[in-house]
Amino acid sequence: MSGKVIVITSGKGGVGKTTSSANLGMALASRGKSVVLIDADFGLRNLDLLLGLENRVVYTILEVLDGECRLEQALVRDKRQPGLALLPAVQRRDKSAVTPEQMQELTGRLAEMFNYVLIDCPAGIEQGFRNAISGAHTAIVVTTPEVSAVRDADRVIGLLGAAGVGEPRLVINRYRPQLAQTNDLMSVDDVLEILAVKLLGVVPEDEQVITTTNRGEPIVLAASPPPAGQAFINIARRLEGEDVPLMEFKLPAGNGFIARLRALFTGR
Amino acid sequence: MVFDLLERLFNRNKTGSATVAKDRLKMVLAVDRTEIAPQTIEQIRKEILDVIVRYFEIDENEKFDVTLERERGSTAIIANVPIRRIRPEHI
């Protein structure tokens, strides 16, 4: 097998990178693919918690690299989706514990075992980022539509290009269509015009992400996924090469002057 | 239909904070991407001014800006110099 190695990254922290990783991994596995998620955010591991796998972590990436266990032993298999596995991050030692060469070797081995190798990268542009992106074929850059996040996303896109990681694609997370419509939030088009990269998907702000995260159940697992869950499923389908149109955000009619005028004349 | 037009006119206000955000980002990213030091831009500003004043009388009260702008993959350096008139010796 020769799987795709994709790094999921962002410039700024807190934009939903780990949530995106967990949901994309789960969505791809639900579609019958074999997926391994690597938590490369050493020092600040969280992917295990978002996946609800925190109690089953025995070994981490570091024991694998030190030869203290076999790679297969360190992989935590998901019970809900047998196609999904997690390679947990180290929490104890310093972030430089893994070298770029070691990451390349590891992702290479995992790509032989899985259809997708998704790397959850630490935020920022420090050594941890450089380690995490080595070995990746392509990148998904996650941002929110805020000035600070978009600026930092631009920096990361530049660094990915310089490192020779193929054409990055963008996920705009925590999008609020109502604010964008009144021009109080940068729209999808605004962000794309500034960053000039290909769009992979737009995930609307959704309170249910908080409750599903609390339970350690990625939102894509819901029986009838709410908008954010559906958006992640769409992204997974696009990764698979399907042509899925962007979600239409249904805006409430509102009760402003124009809406009332329209209701008066059209009876709606 | 007329309501859609009205709605767009009223909703998409040009002065909304998103437009401001976009403009500020464009400016800051043009500088970020070229990795040019602010001191260098200041140096360029001074040198441009030196050349301009040889030929023009400039308005000291107006601001003289040198900025970098980026549109769709190309960067431009924009100098906005308020001039009063050309110096008599150059007419």
Side-chain angles (χ1 to χ4, degrees), chain A residues 147 150-151 154-155 180-186 190 193-195 258 261-262 265-266, chain B residues 3-4 7 10-13 16-19 21-22 25-26 28-29 32-33 35 72:
Chain A
V147 281
V150 173
R151 181 195 203 170
D154 183 74
R155 181 95 169 100
Q181 204 199 20
T182 55
N183 199 25
D184 286 314
L185 179 83
M186 279 188 286
D190 289 340
E193 187 189 326
I194 287 166
L195 293 180
I258 302 293
L261 197 66
R262 180 201 285 270
F265 279 87
T266 60
Chain B
F3 287 110
D4 291 321
E7 201 157 280
F10 278 82
N11 275 333
R12 189 80 193 171
N13 61 40
S17 64
T19 308
K22 202 170 137 188
L25 262 177
K26 275 186 178 170
V28 81
L29 288 186
D32 285 354
R33 282 166 180 162
E35 292 182 350
R72 294 269 163 213

Side-chain angles (χ1 to χ4, degrees), chain A residues 57-226:
Chain A
V57 174
V58 181
Y59 298 110
T60 71
I61 198 165
L62 200 68
E63 281 80 41
V64 177
L65 293 174
D66 286 353
E68 289 169 28
C69 73
R70 285 178 296 109
L71 178 56
E72 290 77 3
Q73 282 176 293
L75 295 177
V76 182
R77 299 272 173 180
D78 192 279
K79 279 183 182 150
R80 299 155 294 197
Q81 282 299 340
L84 186 71
L86 168 72
L87 181 58
V90 200
Q91 194 154 35
R92 294 159 291 148
R93 291 188 230 176
D94 69 307
K95 293 178 189 182
S96 54
V98 180
T99 67
E101 293 74 28
Q102 286 175 318
M103 268 304 274
Q104 275 170 31
E105 206 244 304
L106 197 63
T107 50
R109 280 168 69 191
L110 288 168
E112 287 168 20
M113 300 158 62
F114 293 89
N115 297 127
Y116 286 95
V117 181
L118 302 184
I119 307 163
D120 183 23
C121 180
I125 55 169
E126 305 301 320
Q127 192 57 44
F129 165 82
R130 290 170 197 282
N131 292 340
I133 66 168
S134 50
H137 301 147
T138 57
I140 297 174
V141 176
V142 183
T143 187
T144 57
E146 282 120 357
V147 281
S148 54
V150 173
R151 181 195 203 170
D152 294 350
D154 183 74
R155 181 95 169 100
V156 158
I157 289 165
L159 289 172
L160 286 166
V165 180
E167 227 178 302
R169 286 192 284 175
L170 192 72
V171 167
I172 301 177
N173 196 21
R174 298 222 188 98
Y175 192 61
R176 284 178 284 178
Q178 271 173 288
L179 278 186
Q181 204 199 20
T182 55
N183 199 25
D184 286 314
L185 179 83
M186 279 188 286
S187 68
V188 172
D189 289 339
D190 289 340
V191 176
L192 289 179
E193 187 189 326
I194 287 166
L195 293 180
V197 283
K198 281 191 186 145
L199 182 67
L200 184 61
V202 180
V203 183
E205 174 91 300
D206 195 331
E207 286 179 6
Q208 288 197 55
V209 171
I210 299 170
T211 55
T212 55
T213 302
N214 287 345
R215 296 196 190 95
E217 292 167 358
I219 199 165
V220 296
L221 285 177
S224 56

Side-chain angles (χ1 to χ4, degrees), chain B residues 52-88:
Chain B
I52 304 270
V53 294
R54 263 185 248 153
Y55 300 94
F56 293 97
E57 285 177 23
I58 71 161
D59 192 339
E60 305 282 352
N61 301 319
E62 293 280 320
K63 215 171 152 232
F64 164 35
D65 272 334
V66 169
T67 54
L68 287 171
E69 280 184 21
R70 199 176 161 91
E71 288 282 345
R72 294 269 163 213
S74 65
T75 307
I77 184 158
I78 313 283
N80 193 347
V81 196
I83 55 166
R84 274 220 186 89
R85 56 176 165 266
I86 192 159
R87 290 193 182 279

